[in-house]
Amino acid sequence: EEIQRETAYPDGKVEKVLKNGCHLIFFPNGTWKKVGSDGKTITITFFNGDVKQVMPDQTVIYYYADAKTTHTTYSDGLEILHFSNGQIEKHYPDGKKEITFPDQTIKNLFTDGQEESIFPDGTIVRVQRDGSKMIEFNNGQRELHTSQFKRREYPDGTVKTVYVNGQQETKYVSGRVRVKDKDGNVIMDTKL
């Protein structure tokens, strides 16, 4: 672009005004700033390789050169981080966070302390504030983990519970109940 005017300042800064209306400002440390002809689009290229862009809608895009990470902040408060390993984090204005890992697992962190992870195979894990965990498998089975027991529910209605003391209880859809002690010995079986 053709230079319309160039000004050198005592502090070492140099400003160039281009005929298209852009302003280029060069700082002694190697940082430089470009102000677009609209006066609203600003790009700052720092001496360390970081780049900050401010868009006309006030979206701010910051690229961290060393970490190879881009952090975009939108005017509505949404922040999105793109990491070099492919991980993407979305930080919502209400405090919720959504993380997409390189393997495409998605983890949601809610403001009330609950978490939800959705794995590529369709498995969903929900963790409550009290630490209890519900796992929904893609084959229709569900598991509930609490501090007292682990319970698996099968699509046919069978429910197997393993208690912290090792005792196991299996309830079948037929009404049959089988209980085993911690060593696997049957202590009750109501065969119908």
Side-chain angles (χ1 to χ4, degrees):
E1 293 290 334
E2 260 188 82
I3 298 171
Q4 181 177 322
R5 176 176 89 243
E6 183 171 326
T7 309
Y9 295 93
D11 62 3
K13 180 171 68 175
V14 175
E15 182 176 6
K16 297 179 182 184
V17 178
L18 306 181
K19 286 198 173 172
N20 68 4
C22 288
H23 288 243
L24 301 176
I25 303 162
F26 298 89
F27 298 90
N29 68 356
T31 295
W32 62 282
K33 178 178 183 178
K34 176 182 179 182
V35 180
S37 55
D38 61 4
K40 296 178 182 176
T41 306
I42 300 167
T43 304
I44 303 169
T45 304
F46 295 95
F47 64 90
N48 65 356
D50 287 6
V51 178
K52 178 180 180 179
Q53 293 178 286
V54 180
M55 309 309 280
D57 66 357
Q58 295 307 302
T59 296
V60 177
I61 304 165
Y62 197 105
Y63 176 73
Y64 296 91
D66 281 350
K68 295 180 177 64
T69 299
T70 303
H71 182 178
T72 305
T73 305
Y74 295 91
S75 57
D76 65 1
L78 173 66
E79 296 182 45
I80 300 178
L81 294 100
H82 290 264
F83 296 93
S84 60
N85 67 356
Q87 179 172 316
I88 299 169
E89 290 187 15
K90 295 179 182 177
H91 298 212
Y92 294 90
D94 66 2
K96 178 187 170 207
K97 293 180 183 174
E98 177 184 290
I99 304 166
T100 303
F101 294 96
D103 71 356
Q104 297 311 300
T105 296
I106 299 170
K107 184 173 200 165
N108 291 299
L109 304 169
F110 299 97
T111 55
D112 63 2
Q114 295 184 66
E115 296 180 12
E116 175 185 73
S117 296
I118 304 166
F119 294 90
D121 70 357
T123 300
I124 300 171
V125 177
R126 291 184 179 91
V127 180
Q128 303 301 315
R129 286 177 26 210
D130 65 3
S132 64
K133 186 185 295 186
M134 173 62 80
I135 305 167
E136 296 177 17
F137 297 96
N138 61 5
N139 62 6
Q141 296 180 16
R142 292 169 35 131
E143 258 187 32
L144 175 62
H145 295 200
T146 71
S147 59
Q148 302 301 310
F149 62 84
K150 290 182 182 177
R151 174 177 295 140
R152 184 170 283 226
E153 302 168 2
Y154 297 87
D156 70 359
T158 301
V159 177
K160 182 174 183 176
T161 306
V162 179
Y163 297 93
V164 288
N165 65 6
Q167 183 173 312
Q168 300 176 27
E169 175 184 274
T170 306
K171 294 181 180 179
Y172 299 91
V173 71
S174 65
R176 176 182 175 194
V177 177
R178 184 175 60 202
V179 179
K180 295 181 180 179
D181 66 17
K182 65 179 176 59
D183 300 317
N185 302 312
V186 177
I187 54 176
M188 183 184 98
D189 194 342
T190 62
K191 290 182 187 174
L192 297 174

